[in-house]
Amino acid sequence: MNIISDNDIDEDLAKQFFSTAYDGINLLPQVPERLTKNLLAAILNVSEPTIERMVNEKQIALTKTAVEAYIKRNYLANRPINLAPKSLISPQIDP
C-alpha cells in the first residue's frame, strides 16, 4: 500500500484541479452577500485589524463573492513549502 504525504502533492496540479472542483458549490452557505469586518474576520480566522489592512490594501472586498474567490485563490497557502527530494533543508512543521 502506498501512502502519499503532503509533500508528495504537485501543487500546480492541485491548484488546477481545485480551481474548478468547487464551481457551482456555495462555499459559504447562509452568509449574506454584504459582510461586516467582524464576520469576515471570523470566516477567514484572522483578526479584525488584519481584515482592515486587507480591505485598505484592496486585497479583498466585504462581499461574499470576493471572499469565495479569495478562498479559492489561497486554499493551499497554509501548506509547507514543497522541497525537492533529498533536499538538505527540511521544512519546519509545528505539531
Side-chain angles (χ1 to χ4, degrees):
M1 182 172 166
N2 193 3
I3 298 174
I4 298 175
S5 72
D6 281 348
N7 286 335
D8 293 331
I9 294 172
D10 181 334
E11 289 188 29
D12 292 329
L13 189 58
K15 285 181 182 181
Q16 182 182 17
F17 171 77
F18 283 113
S19 67
T20 58
Y22 293 114
D23 287 351
I25 295 175
N26 185 354
L27 294 178
L28 302 170
Q30 300 179 344
V31 172
E33 182 57 34
R34 295 286 305 153
L35 305 173
T36 64
K37 291 176 184 173
N38 183 298
L39 179 57
L40 182 51
I43 290 169
L44 296 181
N45 197 30
V46 296
S47 68
E48 286 186 54
T50 297
I51 294 300
E52 183 74 34
R53 180 187 51 78
M54 292 172 72
V55 169
N56 289 340
E57 293 176 0
K58 307 228 186 294
Q59 294 177 0
I60 198 164
L62 294 172
T63 66
K64 179 178 178 176
T65 304
V67 174
E68 289 175 330
Y70 180 84
I71 290 170
K72 287 179 183 179
R73 277 193 319 272
N74 295 289
Y75 74 94
L76 288 177
N78 291 333
R79 285 199 57 248
I81 296 174
N82 213 2
L83 298 172
K86 298 182 183 179
S87 172
L88 298 176
I89 303 171
S90 299
Q92 298 298 314
I93 302 171
D94 294 331

